Amino acid sequence: MSTPSLANYIIKRPWLRRWMQPLSEWYKDAAGYRKLGLRADDLIPEESETVLLALKRLPPKEAYDRVFRLRRAFQCSLAHQLLPKNEHTTPEDDRLYLSPIIKEIEAEKQEREDLEVMTIKKKKSNH
């Protein structure tokens, strides 16, 4: 899931963040997923083991809500319709719920890899 990103670079520079924030909001609105009732994390492909594991770690309510949003968006797509304006996902509701779990799993995998390649050296005694 991890891809190169300029996000950290932009976030560390307040002037650049202020400049990019309106552009970011415009892009999210133009992408159209909110008009189908989806959140940004609903768009993450379920093809990797990391994402599948993250989906298993979701709380039951969040997992149910995700499936509901995806099915409703699929039905709207089949009918070539958008949801009514009052059912669009608002920017306040479009919060990350899967990405933090994915980052946690990737950190666990990295830690596991680091521990597997670690070598232990025995100190030589002066006796």
Side-chain angles (χ1 to χ4, degrees), residues 78-112:
L78 286 175
H80 298 285
Q81 295 179 347
L82 297 176
L83 289 174
K85 187 101 173 141
N86 63 340
E87 292 184 33
H88 289 188
T89 302
T90 62
E92 295 79 31
D93 291 338
D94 191 9
R95 58 179 173 72
L96 301 177
Y97 67 95
L98 192 59
S99 296
I101 299 172
I102 291 172
K103 288 178 184 173
E104 181 182 302
I105 291 170
E106 288 176 343
E108 290 170 6
K109 284 184 178 181
Q110 185 61 45
E111 183 179 5
R112 192 174 300 116

Side-chain angles (χ1 to χ4, degrees), residues 27-107:
Y27 180 78
K28 288 178 189 176
D29 190 48
Y33 67 89
R34 289 179 176 169
K35 295 174 184 172
L36 294 172
L38 295 172
R39 293 183 186 170
D41 277 359
D42 293 335
L43 305 176
I44 297 173
E46 300 176 13
E47 298 168 354
S48 74
E49 289 183 30
T50 304
V51 176
L52 291 174
L53 184 57
L55 289 171
K56 289 179 185 175
R57 290 187 185 182
L58 279 177
K61 170 101 170 81
E62 192 69 55
Y64 176 83
D65 290 346
R66 180 178 192 276
V67 170
F68 175 79
R69 288 190 303 272
L70 289 171
R71 287 184 179 174
R72 182 175 59 173
F74 185 68
Q75 288 293 333
C76 287
S77 178
L78 286 175
H80 298 285
Q81 295 179 347
L82 297 176
L83 289 174
K85 187 101 173 141
N86 63 340
E87 292 184 33
H88 289 188
T89 302
T90 62
E92 295 79 31
D93 291 338
D94 191 9
R95 58 179 173 72
L96 301 177
Y97 67 95
L98 192 59
S99 296
I101 299 172
I102 291 172
K103 288 178 184 173
E104 181 182 302
I105 291 170
E106 288 176 343

